[in-house]
Amino acid sequence: MKNRLIASMGGFALAAASLTLATPAVAATSAPSGDMGKCDAWKSHTAPWGGSAKCTGMARADSFRVELTCINSRGSQYTVLGPWKRNNQTSSAVCSPDPNVGVLHVSVIQSA
């Protein structure tokens, strides 16, 4: 039981330290999407922490949106979704106006 508690506390300390330093967890990612075009996703470099995604080469009827995995100062994680967008547009979202809330992961959700 002690080992689990220490591991949990260590993970929280690491998450808290990365928030304190305010260093971006995700600089940029690219989501290859086959017939759906090419999508790039990135995290903001200043507070309030958020992320964006832009897809190109998509079919006229296809759409996408950015998905953020956020973490607060207590280590709780939650998901924030940006608005649906079409080819050559940008979907953006913010985790929270609180500068102590960070972005763990930025990804893209595409319509089928």
Side-chain angles (χ1 to χ4, degrees):
M1 185 65 131
K2 255 187 191 173
N3 290 342
R4 284 188 187 171
L5 179 59
I6 291 170
S8 298
M9 291 173 60
F12 173 73
L14 179 61
S18 68
L19 290 175
T20 303
L21 295 174
T23 53
V26 177
T29 59
S30 180
S33 51
D35 295 351
M36 300 285 288
K38 179 182 183 283
C39 298
D40 291 312
W42 61 94
K43 179 187 173 300
S44 61
H45 295 288
T46 60
W49 301 109
S52 300
K54 182 174 183 175
C55 295
T56 58
M58 298 176 71
R60 178 174 231 153
D62 293 335
S63 58
F64 70 95
R65 68 165 131 188
V66 68
E67 178 182 52
L68 306 178
T69 303
C70 306
I71 185 169
N72 64 23
S73 58
R74 293 175 305 231
S76 298
Q77 295 181 25
Y78 58 95
T79 301
V80 175
L81 300 172
W84 288 102
K85 296 293 183 172
R86 298 212 181 266
N87 190 46
N88 288 324
Q89 294 180 329
T90 302
S91 177
S92 298
V94 173
C95 286
S96 168
D98 181 350
N100 296 315
V101 174
V103 178
L104 285 177
H105 184 70
V106 179
S107 59
V108 177
I109 299 174
Q110 295 181 331
S111 64

